[in-house]
Amino acid sequence: MIIDCHGHYTTAPAPLWEWRKRQVAGQDPGPLKISDDEIRESLEKNQLRIQRERGTDLTFFSPRAGSMEHHVGDARMSEAWSRQCNDLIHRVCSLYPANFAPVCQLPQSPGVPPANCIPELERCVRELDFIGCNLNPDPSGGWWKSPPLGDRFWYPLYEKLAELEVPAMVHVSSSCNPAFHFTGAHYINADTTAFMQFITSDVFKDFPTLKFVIPHGGGAVPYHWGRYRGLAQDMGKPPLKDLLLRNVFFDTCVYHLPGIELLLKVIPAENILFASEIVGAVRGVDPETGHYYDDTRRYIDQVSWLGAAEREKIYVGNVSRVYPRFNRRRAA
Amino acid sequence: MIIDCHGHYTTAPAPLWEWRKRQVAGQDPGPLKISDDEIRESLEKNQLRIQRERGTDLTFFSPRAGSMEHHVGDARMSEAWSRQCNDLIHRVCSLYPANFAPVCQLPQSPGVPPANCIPELERCVRELDFIGCNLNPDPSGGWWKSPPLGDRFWYPLYEKLAELEVPAMVHVSSSCNPAFHFTGAHYINADTTAFMQFITSDVFKDFPTLKFVIPHGGGAVPYHWGRYRGLAQDMGKPPLKDLLLRNVFFDTCVYHLPGIELLLKVIPAENILFASEIVGAVRGVDPETGHYYDDTRRYIDQVSWLGAAEREKIYVGNVSRVYPRFNRRRAA
């Protein structure tokens, strides 16, 4: 079995985006009307087709990251939008329980204490059986105005995540800062930034069971693993393994073989979760291989020195530790 | 011969930092008094000792990056500070012409068109024989308020750089944004961000001879080379090789063997310049190897599949193309 821990509903039917347009324009957006058939069509020719073609089984599925747009409007707008998006994810996962498990968007808003996200998080987890959430470390959309993830600002939300046994994927949304291209700079920078924020924090002393997934292969972190080990050491911190690796995990959204090889060489297999982020940031075929850039399974399968036990952990085993609610959902 | 293209005067004698303190406090800082012996002492036990120990020959040497502090004060303060720092670098390189070649700090200031840097750049290059400069893509110090490097805002400076045949290392200074740890997040993010800004720009159509060095192994870029190739392709751009690699170079400040292996595997040897950034961000000994993290020569020498011709290019050969003024300086 192969579980992909990182997929967004980038192909959601047009009425969702039209609803959002009306909301942002300050109109009454009315009820969202999408039929089950529209949902099926949006998935059958995209994510479900790709799952079949690539031989993966189930995707952890959340709303489109670039459309979370926490920077647009206020916390109330963010909450109404998050509810719509999460309800749609719930419908997807109810229609295709063998193919998708739900991960929710949080109604964050710049400057608003993230405790405001607790009601929507509880609704998704307790009522709709969601197994994870996406946490945006920069709801200002590229201006980085929030306190770092080690700040107590975030703690009420962390308490709830720990209580619910829900991991958070650290995932920014689109960038309003012209300096940062969103999928080429903002996403990768956010991954790198979050990891460094964790190094300098006490989050995992205070929340020893809390778990974060850093997507896009951990940004720059595995490539600069020596730098991060050395920086932590210069600060008198314990080795990264002891400091973070019970709590921080990396996905495999790295779109070429040498990158995946580095990731698998440097980061313990216990801390790697398979992912491809389909249908996502990079959609083309690599002329050097004749295969899709984001077909990350192909890269992993090519790494001949990776043991069978490690491969199993990456493809499915680690999920049990990181997403305990997925096990219960699957059992039910 | 081994040339290290990336070193900062992090060990400059205390009077420099005291001068700066007075300047920032709004006092008349007076003349900077540092003796030749103080300069010698600051280098003999640090950079020169390390050059001897590691068997490298010459370092391209610029003022301490974290102290450029373009965000402090105004353009006039930035200019006076840059002059002091650059004059000190000139003295270092005059005392040890076989060991150091000078790279200047630019008197950038947030919101001020970078054309203001031209007089100091010309002074350094024409009068003091500097061979390169450091260009800060974010003089606001972590708030990223400048237009991206592809914007015409930067063009007057680019024109002068092209005219003078001076390459720029893209290097930020310290971070005032609590989200960004300076050497752990801000530096690496800036490298990644600059590369993506170049991808989406016409800079190298407009300045076909202009050259940039992206330090710290190119941030996240080589690790995500597939992502960047794919993003450029989705935008209808030519392959990165044709789009950027006549103009963009990466240094080798990557502090572990697997990272260096990835860099050498993914980026053509023609685009890699040896560097270690001593004495810099990471100062400890790696307990896994018993050697300094930043002893990057050791990693490169361990890569047995790297051909002799490629190694020569990385250690010394590429410098002739990227820093033409270094050749002339050496000849003189």
Side-chain angles (χ1 to χ4, degrees):
Chain A
M1 183 166 195
I2 296 183
I3 293 172
D4 184 331
C5 79
H6 186 182
H8 302 288
Y9 198 5
T10 49
T11 61
L16 179 70
W17 316 121
E18 287 154 13
W19 189 97
R20 172 65 168 171
K21 251 188 217 163
R22 293 194 299 276
Q23 188 203 29
V24 171
Q27 300 161 11
D28 175 2
L32 175 62
K33 286 185 194 153
I34 295 177
S35 68
D36 285 355
D37 276 349
E38 284 177 291
I39 293 177
R40 287 194 192 96
E41 203 204 333
S42 73
L43 297 163
E44 287 289 353
K45 59 183 184 189
N46 294 300
Q47 291 84 353
L48 290 169
R49 169 185 61 78
I50 295 172
Q51 282 184 355
R52 282 190 301 270
E53 286 173 5
R54 300 189 187 172
T56 64
D57 298 282
L58 185 143
T59 302
F60 292 177
F61 209 51
S62 63
R64 187 159 78 179
S67 303
M68 296 190 297
E69 295 183 330
H70 294 122
H71 55 277
V72 173
D74 59 8
R76 239 180 102 189
M77 179 181 279
S78 186
E79 203 193 336
W81 175 229
S82 297
R83 281 184 73 105
Q84 288 293 1
C85 291
N86 292 333
D87 284 347
L88 194 61
I89 293 293
H90 173 63
R91 287 180 64 194
V92 165
C93 299
S94 303
L95 284 169
Y96 296 97
N99 297 95
F100 297 104
V103 168
C104 67
Q105 168 176 334
L106 296 173
Q108 296 177 247
S109 192
V112 177
N116 84 305
C117 299
I118 293 175
E120 177 63 4
L121 175 67
E122 290 215 276
R123 184 183 79 92
C124 287
V125 173
R126 294 198 198 275
E127 296 174 25
L128 306 178
D129 213 14
F130 277 58
I131 63 162
C133 70
N134 291 332
L135 179 74
N136 183 350
D138 172 30
S140 68
W143 299 107
W144 290 92
K145 293 182 176 174
S146 290
L149 293 172
D151 195 280
R152 288 179 173 266
F153 177 76
W154 300 94
Y155 273 28
L157 180 59
Y158 293 167
E159 264 171 44
K160 185 54 69 179
L161 290 171
E163 179 199 323
L164 294 173
E165 295 186 274
V166 165
M169 178 173 277
V170 180
H171 207 305
V172 287
S173 187
S174 52
S175 162
C176 326
N177 186 331
F180 301 131
H181 182 277
F182 89 113
T183 53
H186 191 41
Y187 280 22
I188 304 295
N189 290 350
D191 305 333
T192 310
T193 300
F195 188 80
M196 194 64 212
Q197 292 180 352
F198 289 140
I199 286 186
T200 54
S201 83
D202 289 324
V203 172
F204 304 120
K205 271 188 205 154
D206 296 333
F207 299 96
T209 64
L210 192 59
K211 293 188 172 59
F212 290 98
V213 179
I214 303 191
H216 321 110
V221 170
Y223 176 48
H224 286 287
W225 196 238
R227 186 179 192 87
Y228 291 101
R229 288 198 293 111
L231 285 171
Q233 184 176 317
D234 286 355
M235 291 175 197
K237 304 267 182 187
L240 294 185
K241 206 167 62 65
D242 303 322
L243 183 66
L244 296 175
L245 292 190
R246 274 184 298 268
N247 306 88
V248 174
F249 301 81
F250 301 95
D251 82 6
T252 66
C253 292
V254 177
Y255 296 154
H256 64 151
L257 178 59
I260 288 285
E261 284 177 326
L262 174 94
L263 173 68
L264 300 180
K265 205 180 289 179
V266 167
I267 305 298
E270 289 69 28
N271 291 80
I272 302 174
L273 302 179
F274 174 72
S276 57
E277 200 171 3
I278 50 146
V279 179
V282 178
R283 307 207 171 179
V285 168
D286 185 347
E288 293 183 9
T289 66
H291 294 272
Y292 284 97
Y293 286 103
D294 66 2
D295 187 355
T296 53
R297 183 181 169 186
R298 276 192 70 253
Y299 308 130
I300 297 171
D301 286 347
Q302 282 175 74
V303 180
S304 54
W305 48 262
L306 184 70
E310 281 70 37
R311 200 177 302 266
E312 193 275 342
K313 283 179 192 170
I314 293 166
Y315 277 143
V316 60
N318 293 330
V319 153
S320 309
R321 272 184 309 136
V322 182
Y323 293 81
R325 284 183 174 268
F326 174 64
N327 303 330
R328 289 177 230 159
R329 186 181 163 93
R330 197 156 48 158
Chain B
M1 184 166 194
I2 297 183
I3 292 173
D4 184 330
C5 79
H6 185 183
H8 303 288
Y9 199 4
T10 49
T11 62
L16 180 69
W17 315 121
E18 287 153 15
W19 189 98
R20 173 65 168 169
K21 253 188 217 161
R22 293 194 298 276
Q23 188 203 29
V24 172
Q27 300 161 12
D28 174 3
L32 175 62
K33 287 185 191 153
I34 294 176
S35 69
D36 285 356
D37 277 349
E38 284 176 291
I39 292 177
R40 287 193 192 96
E41 205 205 330
S42 73
L43 297 163
E44 286 289 354
K45 60 183 183 188
N46 293 299
Q47 290 83 354
L48 290 169
R49 170 184 60 77
I50 295 171
Q51 282 185 355
R52 282 191 300 270
E53 286 173 4
R54 300 188 187 171
T56 63
D57 297 282
L58 186 143
T59 303
F60 291 176
F61 210 50
S62 63
R64 187 160 78 180
S67 303
M68 296 191 296
E69 295 183 332
H70 295 121
H71 55 277
V72 173
D74 58 9
R76 238 180 104 189
M77 180 181 278
S78 185
E79 201 193 337
W81 174 230
S82 296
R83 281 183 75 104
Q84 288 293 1
C85 291
N86 292 333
D87 283 347
L88 194 61
I89 292 293
H90 174 63
R91 287 180 63 194
V92 165
C93 299
S94 303
L95 283 169
Y96 297 97
N99 296 95
F100 297 103
V103 168
C104 67
Q105 167 177 333
L106 296 174
Q108 297 176 247
S109 192
V112 177
N116 84 306
C117 299
I118 292 174
E120 176 62 6
L121 176 68
E122 292 215 274
R123 185 184 78 92
C124 288
V125 173
R126 295 199 198 273
E127 296 174 26
L128 305 178
D129 213 13
F130 277 57
I131 62 163
C133 70
N134 291 331
L135 179 74
N136 183 350
D138 172 31
S140 68
W143 298 107
W144 290 92
K145 293 180 177 174
S146 291
L149 293 172
D151 195 279
R152 287 179 174 266
F153 177 75
W154 301 94
Y155 273 28
L157 181 58
Y158 293 167
E159 264 171 42
K160 185 53 71 176
L161 290 170
E163 178 200 325
L164 293 172
E165 293 185 276
V166 165
M169 178 173 278
V170 180
H171 206 306
V172 287
S173 187
S174 52
S175 162
C176 325
N177 186 331
F180 300 132
H181 182 278
F182 89 112
T183 53
H186 191 41
Y187 280 23
I188 304 297
N189 291 350
D191 306 332
T192 309
T193 300
F195 187 80
M196 195 64 214
Q197 291 180 354
F198 289 139
I199 286 186
T200 53
S201 84
D202 289 323
V203 173
F204 305 120
K205 270 188 208 156
D206 296 332
F207 299 96
T209 65
L210 192 58
K211 293 189 172 59
F212 289 98
V213 180
I214 303 191
H216 320 109
V221 170
Y223 175 47
H224 286 286
W225 196 238
R227 186 180 192 86
Y228 291 101
R229 288 199 290 112
L231 285 170
Q233 183 176 318
D234 286 355
M235 292 174 197
K237 304 266 181 186
L240 294 185
K241 206 168 60 68
D242 303 322
L243 183 66
L244 296 175
L245 291 188
R246 274 185 296 268
N247 306 87
V248 174
F249 301 81
F250 300 96
D251 82 7
T252 66
C253 292
V254 178
Y255 295 156
H256 64 150
L257 178 58
I260 288 287
E261 284 177 326
L262 174 94
L263 174 68
L264 300 180
K265 204 180 289 178
V266 167
I267 305 297
E270 289 68 29
N271 291 78
I272 302 176
L273 302 178
F274 175 72
S276 57
E277 199 172 0
I278 51 148
V279 179
V282 177
R283 307 209 172 178
V285 169
D286 185 345
E288 293 182 9
T289 66
H291 294 273
Y292 284 96
Y293 286 102
D294 65 4
D295 187 354
T296 53
R297 184 182 168 187
R298 277 192 68 255
Y299 308 129
I300 296 171
D301 285 347
Q302 282 174 75
V303 179
S304 54
W305 49 260
L306 185 69
E310 280 71 34
R311 200 177 302 267
E312 194 275 343
K313 283 179 192 170
I314 293 167
Y315 278 142
V316 61
N318 293 331
V319 154
S320 310
R321 271 184 308 137
V322 183
Y323 293 82
R325 284 185 174 266
F326 175 64
N327 305 329
R328 289 177 231 160
R329 187 181 164 91
R330 199 156 48 158

mmCIF file with all atom_site columns, all heavy atoms in Angstrom, chain A residues 24-41:
data_model
loop_
_atom_site.group_PDB
_atom_site.id
_atom_site.type_symbol
_atom_site.label_atom_id
_atom_site.label_alt_id
_atom_site.label_comp_id
_atom_site.label_asym_id
_atom_site.label_entity_id
_atom_site.label_seq_id
_atom_site.pdbx_PDB_ins_code
_atom_site.Cartn_x
_atom_site.Cartn_y
_atom_site.Cartn_z
_atom_site.occupancy
_atom_site.B_iso_or_equiv
_atom_site.pdbx_formal_charge
_atom_site.auth_seq_id
_atom_site.auth_comp_id
_atom_site.auth_asym_id
_atom_site.auth_atom_id
_atom_site.pdbx_PDB_model_num
ATOM 1   N N   . VAL A 1 24 ? -15.342 37.393 -1.738  1.00 0.00 ? 24 VAL A N   1
ATOM 2   C CA  . VAL A 1 24 ? -14.294 38.419 -1.663  1.00 0.00 ? 24 VAL A CA  1
ATOM 3   C C   . VAL A 1 24 ? -14.824 39.770 -2.156  1.00 0.00 ? 24 VAL A C   1
ATOM 4   O O   . VAL A 1 24 ? -14.430 40.823 -1.651  1.00 0.00 ? 24 VAL A O   1
ATOM 5   C CB  . VAL A 1 24 ? -13.038 37.971 -2.452  1.00 0.00 ? 24 VAL A CB  1
ATOM 6   C CG1 . VAL A 1 24 ? -12.030 39.105 -2.558  1.00 0.00 ? 24 VAL A CG1 1
ATOM 7   C CG2 . VAL A 1 24 ? -12.410 36.743 -1.800  1.00 0.00 ? 24 VAL A CG2 1
ATOM 8   N N   . ALA A 1 25 ? -15.756 39.717 -3.112  1.00 0.00 ? 25 ALA A N   1
ATOM 9   C CA  . ALA A 1 25 ? -16.331 40.955 -3.636  1.00 0.00 ? 25 ALA A CA  1
ATOM 10  C C   . ALA A 1 25 ? -17.326 41.583 -2.662  1.00 0.00 ? 25 ALA A C   1
ATOM 11  O O   . ALA A 1 25 ? -17.891 42.639 -2.945  1.00 0.00 ? 25 ALA A O   1
ATOM 12  C CB  . ALA A 1 25 ? -17.000 40.679 -4.983  1.00 0.00 ? 25 ALA A CB  1
ATOM 13  N N   . GLY A 1 26 ? -17.575 40.897 -1.529  1.00 0.00 ? 26 GLY A N   1
ATOM 14  C CA  . GLY A 1 26 ? -18.486 41.461 -0.533  1.00 0.00 ? 26 GLY A CA  1
ATOM 15  C C   . GLY A 1 26 ? -19.946 41.182 -0.827  1.00 0.00 ? 26 GLY A C   1
ATOM 16  O O   . GLY A 1 26 ? -20.839 41.709 -0.181  1.00 0.00 ? 26 GLY A O   1
ATOM 17  N N   . GLN A 1 27 ? -20.214 40.315 -1.847  1.00 0.00 ? 27 GLN A N   1
ATOM 18  C CA  . GLN A 1 27 ? -21.599 39.918 -2.136  1.00 0.00 ? 27 GLN A CA  1
ATOM 19  C C   . GLN A 1 27 ? -21.993 38.762 -1.218  1.00 0.00 ? 27 GLN A C   1
ATOM 20  O O   . GLN A 1 27 ? -21.132 38.093 -0.651  1.00 0.00 ? 27 GLN A O   1
ATOM 21  C CB  . GLN A 1 27 ? -21.717 39.450 -3.591  1.00 0.00 ? 27 GLN A CB  1
ATOM 22  C CG  . GLN A 1 27 ? -21.353 40.506 -4.607  1.00 0.00 ? 27 GLN A CG  1
ATOM 23  C CD  . GLN A 1 27 ? -21.035 39.909 -5.973  1.00 0.00 ? 27 GLN A CD  1
ATOM 24  O OE1 . GLN A 1 27 ? -21.270 38.732 -6.218  1.00 0.00 ? 27 GLN A OE1 1
ATOM 25  N NE2 . GLN A 1 27 ? -20.472 40.734 -6.850  1.00 0.00 ? 27 GLN A NE2 1
ATOM 26  N N   . ASP A 1 28 ? -23.327 38.547 -1.101  1.00 0.00 ? 28 ASP A N   1
ATOM 27  C CA  . ASP A 1 28 ? -23.769 37.329 -0.419  1.00 0.00 ? 28 ASP A CA  1
ATOM 28  C C   . ASP A 1 28 ? -23.443 36.163 -1.343  1.00 0.00 ? 28 ASP A C   1
ATOM 29  O O   . ASP A 1 28 ? -24.009 36.077 -2.432  1.00 0.00 ? 28 ASP A O   1
ATOM 30  C CB  . ASP A 1 28 ? -25.275 37.410 -0.158  1.00 0.00 ? 28 ASP A CB  1
ATOM 31  C CG  . ASP A 1 28 ? -25.794 36.098 0.435   1.00 0.00 ? 28 ASP A CG  1
ATOM 32  O OD1 . ASP A 1 28 ? -24.974 35.170 0.675   1.00 0.00 ? 28 ASP A OD1 1
ATOM 33  O OD2 . ASP A 1 28 ? -27.016 36.001 0.648   1.00 0.00 ? 28 ASP A OD2 1
ATOM 34  N N   . PRO A 1 29 ? -22.537 35.287 -0.969  1.00 0.00 ? 29 PRO A N   1
ATOM 35  C CA  . PRO A 1 29 ? -22.133 34.241 -1.921  1.00 0.00 ? 29 PRO A CA  1
ATOM 36  C C   . PRO A 1 29 ? -23.197 33.168 -2.103  1.00 0.00 ? 29 PRO A C   1
ATOM 37  O O   . PRO A 1 29 ? -23.115 32.377 -3.043  1.00 0.00 ? 29 PRO A O   1
ATOM 38  C CB  . PRO A 1 29 ? -20.875 33.644 -1.278  1.00 0.00 ? 29 PRO A CB  1
ATOM 39  C CG  . PRO A 1 29 ? -20.949 33.989 0.174   1.00 0.00 ? 29 PRO A CG  1
ATOM 40  C CD  . PRO A 1 29 ? -21.767 35.238 0.297   1.00 0.00 ? 29 PRO A CD  1
ATOM 41  N N   . GLY A 1 30 ? -24.200 33.130 -1.233  1.00 0.00 ? 30 GLY A N   1
ATOM 42  C CA  . GLY A 1 30 ? -25.261 32.129 -1.374  1.00 0.00 ? 30 GLY A CA  1
ATOM 43  C C   . GLY A 1 30 ? -24.743 30.737 -1.081  1.00 0.00 ? 30 GLY A C   1
ATOM 44  O O   . GLY A 1 30 ? -23.584 30.554 -0.697  1.00 0.00 ? 30 GLY A O   1
ATOM 45  N N   . PRO A 1 31 ? -25.626 29.738 -1.282  1.00 0.00 ? 31 PRO A N   1
ATOM 46  C CA  . PRO A 1 31 ? -25.175 28.362 -1.014  1.00 0.00 ? 31 PRO A CA  1
ATOM 47  C C   . PRO A 1 31 ? -24.243 27.883 -2.130  1.00 0.00 ? 31 PRO A C   1
ATOM 48  O O   . PRO A 1 31 ? -24.363 28.323 -3.273  1.00 0.00 ? 31 PRO A O   1
ATOM 49  C CB  . PRO A 1 31 ? -26.477 27.565 -1.003  1.00 0.00 ? 31 PRO A CB  1
ATOM 50  C CG  . PRO A 1 31 ? -27.429 28.367 -1.838  1.00 0.00 ? 31 PRO A CG  1
ATOM 51  C CD  . PRO A 1 31 ? -27.019 29.808 -1.739  1.00 0.00 ? 31 PRO A CD  1
ATOM 52  N N   . LEU A 1 32 ? -23.329 27.012 -1.780  1.00 0.00 ? 32 LEU A N   1
ATOM 53  C CA  . LEU A 1 32 ? -22.419 26.438 -2.783  1.00 0.00 ? 32 LEU A CA  1
ATOM 54  C C   . LEU A 1 32 ? -23.104 25.247 -3.429  1.00 0.00 ? 32 LEU A C   1
ATOM 55  O O   . LEU A 1 32 ? -23.493 24.297 -2.757  1.00 0.00 ? 32 LEU A O   1
ATOM 56  C CB  . LEU A 1 32 ? -21.126 25.989 -2.093  1.00 0.00 ? 32 LEU A CB  1
ATOM 57  C CG  . LEU A 1 32 ? -20.112 25.263 -2.988  1.00 0.00 ? 32 LEU A CG  1
ATOM 58  C CD1 . LEU A 1 32 ? -19.643 26.166 -4.116  1.00 0.00 ? 32 LEU A CD1 1
ATOM 59  C CD2 . LEU A 1 32 ? -18.932 24.782 -2.158  1.00 0.00 ? 32 LEU A CD2 1
ATOM 60  N N   . LYS A 1 33 ? -23.262 25.321 -4.753  1.00 0.00 ? 33 LYS A N   1
ATOM 61  C CA  . LYS A 1 33 ? -23.955 24.224 -5.448  1.00 0.00 ? 33 LYS A CA  1
ATOM 62  C C   . LYS A 1 33 ? -22.990 23.446 -6.328  1.00 0.00 ? 33 LYS A C   1
ATOM 63  O O   . LYS A 1 33 ? -22.615 23.902 -7.406  1.00 0.00 ? 33 LYS A O   1
ATOM 64  C CB  . LYS A 1 33 ? -25.106 24.795 -6.288  1.00 0.00 ? 33 LYS A CB  1
ATOM 65  C CG  . LYS A 1 33 ? -26.281 25.235 -5.432  1.00 0.00 ? 33 LYS A CG  1
ATOM 66  C CD  . LYS A 1 33 ? -27.445 25.683 -6.310  1.00 0.00 ? 33 LYS A CD  1
ATOM 67  C CE  . LYS A 1 33 ? -28.461 26.441 -5.465  1.00 0.00 ? 33 LYS A CE  1
ATOM 68  N NZ  . LYS A 1 33 ? -29.243 27.407 -6.239  1.00 0.00 ? 33 LYS A NZ  1
ATOM 69  N N   . ILE A 1 34 ? -22.593 22.298 -5.844  1.00 0.00 ? 34 ILE A N   1
ATOM 70  C CA  . ILE A 1 34 ? -21.750 21.391 -6.628  1.00 0.00 ? 34 ILE A CA  1
ATOM 71  C C   . ILE A 1 34 ? -22.359 20.001 -6.489  1.00 0.00 ? 34 ILE A C   1
ATOM 72  O O   . ILE A 1 34 ? -22.618 19.543 -5.369  1.00 0.00 ? 34 ILE A O   1
ATOM 73  C CB  . ILE A 1 34 ? -20.297 21.392 -6.110  1.00 0.00 ? 34 ILE A CB  1
ATOM 74  C CG1 . ILE A 1 34 ? -19.648 22.777 -6.311  1.00 0.00 ? 34 ILE A CG1 1
ATOM 75  C CG2 . ILE A 1 34 ? -19.465 20.310 -6.784  1.00 0.00 ? 34 ILE A CG2 1
ATOM 76  C CD1 . ILE A 1 34 ? -18.236 22.892 -5.758  1.00 0.00 ? 34 ILE A CD1 1
ATOM 77  N N   . SER A 1 35 ? -22.585 19.338 -7.616  1.00 0.00 ? 35 SER A N   1
ATOM 78  C CA  . SER A 1 35 ? -23.190 18.003 -7.553  1.00 0.00 ? 35 SER A CA  1
ATOM 79  C C   . SER A 1 35 ? -22.114 16.953 -7.302  1.00 0.00 ? 35 SER A C   1
ATOM 80  O O   . SER A 1 35 ? -20.925 17.186 -7.552  1.00 0.00 ? 35 SER A O   1
ATOM 81  C CB  . SER A 1 35 ? -23.910 17.695 -8.869  1.00 0.00 ? 35 SER A CB  1
ATOM 82  O OG  . SER A 1 35 ? -22.934 17.554 -9.901  1.00 0.00 ? 35 SER A OG  1
ATOM 83  N N   . ASP A 1 36 ? -22.551 15.788 -6.832  1.00 0.00 ? 36 ASP A N   1
ATOM 84  C CA  . ASP A 1 36 ? -21.610 14.678 -6.658  1.00 0.00 ? 36 ASP A CA  1
ATOM 85  C C   . ASP A 1 36 ? -20.944 14.324 -7.986  1.00 0.00 ? 36 ASP A C   1
ATOM 86  O O   . ASP A 1 36 ? -19.766 13.967 -8.029  1.00 0.00 ? 36 ASP A O   1
ATOM 87  C CB  . ASP A 1 36 ? -22.327 13.447 -6.095  1.00 0.00 ? 36 ASP A CB  1
ATOM 88  C CG  . ASP A 1 36 ? -22.636 13.612 -4.604  1.00 0.00 ? 36 ASP A CG  1
ATOM 89  O OD1 . ASP A 1 36 ? -22.211 14.634 -4.017  1.00 0.00 ? 36 ASP A OD1 1
ATOM 90  O OD2 . ASP A 1 36 ? -23.308 12.723 -4.039  1.00 0.00 ? 36 ASP A OD2 1
ATOM 91  N N   . ASP A 1 37 ? -21.689 14.436 -9.051  1.00 0.00 ? 37 ASP A N   1
ATOM 92  C CA  . ASP A 1 37 ? -21.111 14.108 -10.363 1.00 0.00 ? 37 ASP A CA  1
ATOM 93  C C   . ASP A 1 37 ? -19.998 15.078 -10.742 1.00 0.00 ? 37 ASP A C   1
ATOM 94  O O   . ASP A 1 37 ? -18.979 14.680 -11.323 1.00 0.00 ? 37 ASP A O   1
ATOM 95  C CB  . ASP A 1 37 ? -22.197 14.125 -11.449 1.00 0.00 ? 37 ASP A CB  1
ATOM 96  C CG  . ASP A 1 37 ? -22.944 12.798 -11.495 1.00 0.00 ? 37 ASP A CG  1
ATOM 97  O OD1 . ASP A 1 37 ? -22.462 11.831 -10.836 1.00 0.00 ? 37 ASP A OD1 1
ATOM 98  O OD2 . ASP A 1 37 ? -23.992 12.729 -12.151 1.00 0.00 ? 37 ASP A OD2 1
ATOM 99  N N   . GLU A 1 38 ? -20.206 16.358 -10.414 1.00 0.00 ? 38 GLU A N   1
ATOM 100 C CA  . GLU A 1 38 ? -19.126 17.326 -10.693 1.00 0.00 ? 38 GLU A CA  1
ATOM 101 C C   . GLU A 1 38 ? -17.871 16.991 -9.891  1.00 0.00 ? 38 GLU A C   1
ATOM 102 O O   . GLU A 1 38 ? -16.750 17.104 -10.386 1.00 0.00 ? 38 GLU A O   1
ATOM 103 C CB  . GLU A 1 38 ? -19.600 18.750 -10.353 1.00 0.00 ? 38 GLU A CB  1
ATOM 104 C CG  . GLU A 1 38 ? -20.538 19.358 -11.378 1.00 0.00 ? 38 GLU A CG  1
ATOM 105 C CD  . GLU A 1 38 ? -21.033 20.737 -10.931 1.00 0.00 ? 38 GLU A CD  1
ATOM 106 O OE1 . GLU A 1 38 ? -21.819 20.802 -9.949  1.00 0.00 ? 38 GLU A OE1 1
ATOM 107 O OE2 . GLU A 1 38 ? -20.639 21.734 -11.562 1.00 0.00 ? 38 GLU A OE2 1
ATOM 108 N N   . ILE A 1 39 ? -18.076 16.605 -8.646  1.00 0.00 ? 39 ILE A N   1
ATOM 109 C CA  . ILE A 1 39 ? -16.918 16.216 -7.822  1.00 0.00 ? 39 ILE A CA  1
ATOM 110 C C   . ILE A 1 39 ? -16.225 15.004 -8.450  1.00 0.00 ? 39 ILE A C   1
ATOM 111 O O   . ILE A 1 39 ? -15.010 14.991 -8.628  1.00 0.00 ? 39 ILE A O   1
ATOM 112 C CB  . ILE A 1 39 ? -17.363 15.906 -6.372  1.00 0.00 ? 39 ILE A CB  1
ATOM 113 C CG1 . ILE A 1 39 ? -17.849 17.185 -5.690  1.00 0.00 ? 39 ILE A CG1 1
ATOM 114 C CG2 . ILE A 1 39 ? -16.224 15.260 -5.584  1.00 0.00 ? 39 ILE A CG2 1
ATOM 115 C CD1 . ILE A 1 39 ? -18.374 16.983 -4.276  1.00 0.00 ? 39 ILE A CD1 1
ATOM 116 N N   . ARG A 1 40 ? -17.031 14.007 -8.791  1.00 0.00 ? 40 ARG A N   1
ATOM 117 C CA  . ARG A 1 40 ? -16.447 12.781 -9.388  1.00 0.00 ? 40 ARG A CA  1
ATOM 118 C C   . ARG A 1 40 ? -15.643 13.120 -10.633 1.00 0.00 ? 40 ARG A C   1
ATOM 119 O O   . ARG A 1 40 ? -14.525 12.649 -10.802 1.00 0.00 ? 40 ARG A O   1
ATOM 120 C CB  . ARG A 1 40 ? -17.567 11.798 -9.750  1.00 0.00 ? 40 ARG A CB  1
ATOM 121 C CG  . ARG A 1 40 ? -18.184 11.125 -8.543  1.00 0.00 ? 40 ARG A CG  1
ATOM 122 C CD  . ARG A 1 40 ? -19.050 9.919  -8.934  1.00 0.00 ? 40 ARG A CD  1
ATOM 123 N NE  . ARG A 1 40 ? -19.841 9.491  -7.789  1.00 0.00 ? 40 ARG A NE  1
ATOM 124 C CZ  . ARG A 1 40 ? -21.105 9.863  -7.553  1.00 0.00 ? 40 ARG A CZ  1
ATOM 125 N NH1 . ARG A 1 40 ? -21.743 10.649 -8.417  1.00 0.00 ? 40 ARG A NH1 1
ATOM 126 N NH2 . ARG A 1 40 ? -21.742 9.436  -6.471  1.00 0.00 ? 40 ARG A NH2 1
ATOM 127 N N   . GLU A 1 41 ? -16.232 13.966 -11.485 1.00 0.00 ? 41 GLU A N   1
ATOM 128 C CA  . GLU A 1 41 ? -15.547 14.290 -12.742 1.00 0.00 ? 41 GLU A CA  1
ATOM 129 C C   . GLU A 1 41 ? -14.215 15.008 -12.482 1.00 0.00 ? 41 GLU A C   1
ATOM 130 O O   . GLU A 1 41 ? -13.220 14.753 -13.142 1.00 0.00 ? 41 GLU A O   1
ATOM 131 C CB  . GLU A 1 41 ? -16.457 15.160 -13.606 1.00 0.00 ? 41 GLU A CB  1
ATOM 132 C CG  . GLU A 1 41 ? -16.088 15.072 -15.084 1.00 0.00 ? 41 GLU A CG  1
ATOM 133 C CD  . GLU A 1 41 ? -16.546 16.294 -15.857 1.00 0.00 ? 41 GLU A CD  1
ATOM 134 O OE1 . GLU A 1 41 ? -17.539 16.936 -15.449 1.00 0.00 ? 41 GLU A OE1 1
ATOM 135 O OE2 . GLU A 1 41 ? -15.881 16.613 -16.884 1.00 0.00 ? 41 GLU A OE2 1
#
